[in-house]
Amino acid sequence: MSARDEILANIRRSLGVSGKETIRRQIATERLERAPRGLVPARGQVSGEQRLALFKLQAEAALATVTEVETSADVPQSVAAFLRDHNLPATLRMGRDLRLTAMPWGETSLDISHGPSEGGDLNAVSHAFGGVAETGTLVLVSGSENPSTLNFLPDNHIVVVSAKDIAGDYETVWNKVRFAFGKGGMPRTVNWITGPSRSGDIEQTMLLGAHGPRRLHVVVVKE
């Protein structure tokens, strides 16, 4: 028995149930299927260029930097320019996302490595599942395509997101995640990232990179 099964078994024992009661299962199923829609702020209810402009405004307000490129083929040169402009080494770790690996990285001088980070990488690039305009948030799902370690361990995290995948609000993105993966097939982790890591715990002084990347750079692909 796994630790999870043991915990659930203890809870059922304390409630005096087995977990197989038909009525209890029906009630739980109905509650999940009829869950009320969350409150959706009006701020994100814009479309087209207005939505993209709002995303950029909110992301930059959260101390991220944002660059727009016309096509996915422009991403490698944009990433190389970001690293060069910040005097960072020309190294980059990424997962196995086919959208990233199909880009012409060979046209740059970047040294590309693949797979999860073990903590020694300064720079990483991921491809977001989507974005949320109302808060400038990026949504990344875990897996070998975009390992979650890349979200937290490198000092500089570059995230590519397609403009068409930027929604106005959180509820819309959650619906897209559910539709893409289906019931019982959700990713292990869905990370919602707004700006670089920060903390004001010590003397209420803002410190970047406290629990993750000190820089978050977003490349929006407009095609």
Side-chain angles (χ1 to χ4, degrees):
M1 179 181 291
S2 68
R4 176 180 180 274
D5 291 336
E6 185 175 351
I7 291 171
L8 294 176
N10 288 335
I11 294 173
R12 294 190 185 101
R13 229 177 353 258
S14 67
L15 295 173
V17 298
S18 67
K20 298 180 180 179
E21 293 82 0
T22 301
I23 294 179
R24 290 176 60 86
R25 295 179 70 88
Q26 287 177 346
I27 292 173
T29 299
E30 290 177 3
R31 179 176 293 182
L32 289 172
E33 291 178 349
R34 298 179 183 180
R37 180 177 171 85
L39 180 66
V40 179
R43 181 171 64 190
Q45 303 311 297
V46 290
S47 59
E49 289 297 326
Q50 285 183 303
R51 181 182 295 168
L52 181 56
L54 177 61
F55 173 82
K56 183 176 181 180
L57 176 68
Q58 296 298 325
E60 291 177 341
L63 303 182
T65 53
V66 182
T67 298
E68 299 176 29
V69 298
E70 291 301 321
T71 72
S72 58
D74 300 321
V75 170
Q77 292 295 344
S78 179
V79 171
F82 169 79
L83 297 177
R84 184 171 59 251
D85 291 346
H86 289 82
N87 198 30
L88 295 170
T91 59
L92 195 62
R93 179 169 288 275
M94 69 176 69
R96 302 291 179 179
D97 194 298
L98 296 179
R99 294 166 295 184
L100 289 177
T101 56
M103 295 174 184
W105 298 100
E107 296 178 5
T108 72
S109 59
L110 297 177
D111 181 13
I112 307 293
S113 55
H114 294 272
S117 175
E118 295 183 358
D121 302 290
L122 284 177
N123 313 311
V125 61
S126 304
H127 202 297
F129 178 87
V132 182
E134 70 174 78
T135 54
T137 298
L138 295 161
V139 184
L140 293 100
V141 296
S142 60
S144 60
E145 294 83 3
N146 294 284
S148 289
T149 54
L150 302 187
N151 301 338
F152 301 105
L153 298 183
D155 274 358
N156 309 286
H157 192 200
I158 302 162
V159 180
V160 181
V161 62
S162 297
K164 63 180 177 60
D165 292 330
I166 297 175
D169 54 80
Y170 284 70
E171 293 292 325
T172 298
V173 178
W174 270 125
N175 288 337
K176 289 182 177 180
V177 172
R178 295 185 186 103
F179 179 80
F181 291 91
K183 186 176 181 180
M186 292 288 279
R188 186 173 185 178
T189 307
V190 180
N191 293 124
W192 300 72
I193 299 174
T194 308
S197 170
R198 75 198 76 185
S199 174
D201 293 343
I202 301 175
E203 296 183 350
Q204 297 183 349
T205 300
M206 186 64 70
L207 174 67
L208 295 181
H211 310 293
R214 66 182 68 250
R215 288 191 183 93
L216 176 66
H217 181 63
V218 185
V219 181
V220 179
V221 181
K222 298 180 69 174
E223 67 178 353

